[in-house]
Amino acid sequence: MTYAVTSLFVPPPGPEARPLVDAADAAQYIADASLTDAPLGQVGLEIEAHCFDRSDLSRRPSWSQITAVLETLPELPGGSAVTLEPGGAVELSGPPFVGVLPAINAMAADRAILNAAFYDAGLGLALLGADPLRPPHRVNPGPRYEAMEQFFTASGTGDAGAAMMTSTASIQLNLDAGPRDGWAERVRLAHALGPTMIAVAANSPLRSGELTGWASSRQQVWGQLDSARCGPILGTSADDPAAEWARYALNAPVMLVRSATDDAAVPVLDWVPFTKWAGGAVLLEGRRPTTADLDYHLTTLFPPVRPRSWLEIRYLDSVPEALWPAVAFTLATLLDDRGAAEQAAQTVEPVATAWDTAARVGLADPQLHAAAVRCVGIAAELAPAELAGPMQLLVDMTERGRTAGDDFADAAVAVGIEAALTDLWQEH
């Protein structure tokens, strides 16, 4: 089958690219496209998994070895697209479904086929937030990723940038923005839930062969990158998320510009906020920006909640097969069910900005633990019978203050990292 980056929710087609007049014009362009006024209900899931050679876990499979497996895949029944991350992680991107349960069922069906195909090829797919064994290394030859490496090096975050691109993996939820009059409340809640859900889903206690001391080493890595590009868009008080996103995007430094000669990605090695380019204070590639340049800039911004006409929620570690359906159901329910959302907003208010604490200690923090128990319990009360097993597992673990990462760390200490990894795909 073919594999390419595809959009889960499809924004309405915009006008053809045009020159930007100034920074205010750029801000209006961003705000107009940031969120779409629509009913709630659609859910899209994306899940990344690290790819290992089962005969030598310390070696990254080559680009050709991984793509050869992809070429053998049948059309996936759930409609997922398959993409490859810079370090060889394999991502399934599911289409939107009406309701979280259909999205979960479709993703589970596609993951079963993907897991079997890689296993038959002598490879294993591990659902962990960070690669616990291998150092960062890029195998994807895409020129965009090479340019990103150059940008991160020039900005003094080369190590963190390499780790982010090649050693982290996540679960991503894509949800409708909802009716316009509820945008502010909804975007605030999506952010406020972040620390609690990071603690619940923490599953990256090791990276590059070592215990890091962080519950979510994936989130630790993201925190080492510049906050202008990777930090939260807003806290808990913003009333106009479209305007906040425009402010954030314009203040973020330009990472890449398309070459005027061959459309290649050219890294911007100086710190140039997009607002300076839009306002004419700086020329990049000898020119002023267009709306196409601004669209490209937006693809290089990685906040934990990213408006893309829908809400792209990016803060969850990748978690094991037995748990990800419950984690996905919990977050979608706390945002899309009105009663659950109201209860969740009150519950997480004391920890709404505790991003660093959640990543560092997770459920060991008493306030985060209390919020997590309550939030998971709210979702569990609304779970369908089909998810009774995963939800009960998540409830039990959360009440005990345990995460998938705790279990993996214990196994790694007891039997070694390689044996603990092997157990992950034996589950399939």
Side-chain angles (χ1 to χ4, degrees):
M1 67 180 293
T2 57
Y3 46 96
V5 176
T6 60
S7 180
L8 299 186
F9 292 71
V10 180
E16 291 187 7
R18 61 170 178 81
L20 290 167
V21 176
D22 53 23
D25 183 26
Q28 190 63 54
Y29 180 84
I30 297 168
D32 287 346
S34 63
L35 298 170
T36 296
D37 188 356
L40 298 178
Q42 289 191 108
V43 178
L45 296 177
E46 303 181 34
I47 298 181
E48 297 170 337
H50 302 283
C51 184
F52 287 86
D53 182 337
R54 291 191 290 112
S55 66
D56 182 1
L57 298 182
S58 64
R59 186 187 76 83
R60 286 182 187 268
S62 68
W63 178 252
S64 60
Q65 188 178 4
I66 298 172
T67 56
V69 180
L70 299 189
E71 295 295 347
T72 70
L73 287 176
E75 196 72 22
L76 297 177
S80 295
V82 187
T83 57
L84 298 180
E85 297 300 310
V90 183
E91 178 179 30
L92 282 183
S93 300
F97 289 87
V98 177
V100 63
L101 184 59
I104 289 171
N105 289 338
M107 178 59 67
D110 290 352
R111 282 204 49 76
I113 292 174
L114 189 77
N115 284 332
F118 274 79
Y119 194 88
D120 289 346
L123 305 176
L125 297 179
L127 293 176
L128 288 160
D131 188 326
L133 186 62
R134 303 167 302 191
H137 178 70
R138 179 170 62 89
V139 299
N140 188 324
R144 172 181 167 100
Y145 298 125
E146 181 178 357
M148 288 175 68
E149 284 179 345
Q150 294 176 50
F151 170 87
F152 285 127
T153 298
S155 64
T157 57
D159 290 345
M164 178 272 286
M165 290 195 295
T166 69
S167 297
T168 63
S170 69
I171 297 173
Q172 183 173 297
L173 267 69
N174 298 283
L175 305 174
D176 285 310
R180 183 182 299 271
D181 61 4
W183 284 353
E185 181 181 11
R186 183 165 172 78
V187 174
R188 280 198 297 270
L189 180 57
H191 282 79
L193 282 166
T196 297
M197 291 305 301
I198 286 170
V200 169
N203 189 34
S204 46
L206 292 94
R207 187 164 67 83
S208 299
E210 296 182 355
L211 287 164
T212 65
W214 287 65
S216 175
S217 300
R218 173 185 173 273
Q219 198 67 24
Q220 177 197 22
V221 167
W222 281 98
Q224 292 169 346
L225 297 169
D226 65 270
S227 60
R229 164 166 273 104
C230 302
I233 295 169
L234 48 81
T236 58
S237 60
D239 293 324
D240 187 349
E244 285 293 301
W245 175 229
R247 175 196 58 77
Y248 181 101
L250 289 179
N251 287 331
V254 181
M255 173 184 277
L256 307 174
V257 176
R258 292 198 183 278
S259 168
T261 57
D262 58 7
D263 205 37
V266 178
V268 178
L269 303 184
D270 295 320
W271 190 272
V272 180
F274 195 95
T275 187
K276 288 192 174 182
W277 191 20
V282 176
L283 299 181
L284 297 176
E285 286 295 286
R287 59 180 174 80
R288 295 279 295 273
T290 67
T291 53
D293 292 311
L294 182 48
D295 288 336
Y296 192 49
H297 172 63
L298 295 178
T299 70
T300 70
L301 305 182
F302 311 112
V305 179
R306 182 164 66 172
R308 295 189 58 193
S309 81
W310 62 90
L311 292 183
E312 183 183 81
I313 301 175
R314 308 168 49 86
Y315 46 63
L316 298 172
D317 278 9
S318 194
V319 295
E321 301 288 358
L323 279 179
W324 70 255
V327 171
F329 179 84
T330 296
L331 183 53
T333 299
L334 296 178
L335 282 163
D336 281 3
D337 181 276
R338 184 169 183 82
E342 291 175 353
Q343 295 178 71
Q346 296 177 357
T347 298
V348 301
E349 184 177 0
V351 291
T353 59
W355 298 89
D356 186 73
T357 301
R360 187 181 293 275
V361 301
L363 295 179
D365 178 82
Q367 284 189 302
L368 283 166
H369 182 236
V373 169
R374 178 61 180 142
C375 284
V376 171
I378 291 167
E381 291 175 359
L382 299 171
E386 297 95 318
L387 293 180
M391 283 305 307
Q392 190 58 54
L393 177 60
L394 185 62
V395 167
D396 291 344
M397 292 183 69
T398 304
E399 288 180 348
R400 292 186 290 116
R402 296 282 298 182
T403 66
D406 293 327
D407 289 347
F408 185 79
D410 287 352
V413 170
V415 300
I417 300 174
E418 294 197 6
L421 269 171
T422 301
D423 285 343
L424 294 181
W425 45 78
Q426 298 302 337
E427 296 174 0
H428 310 326

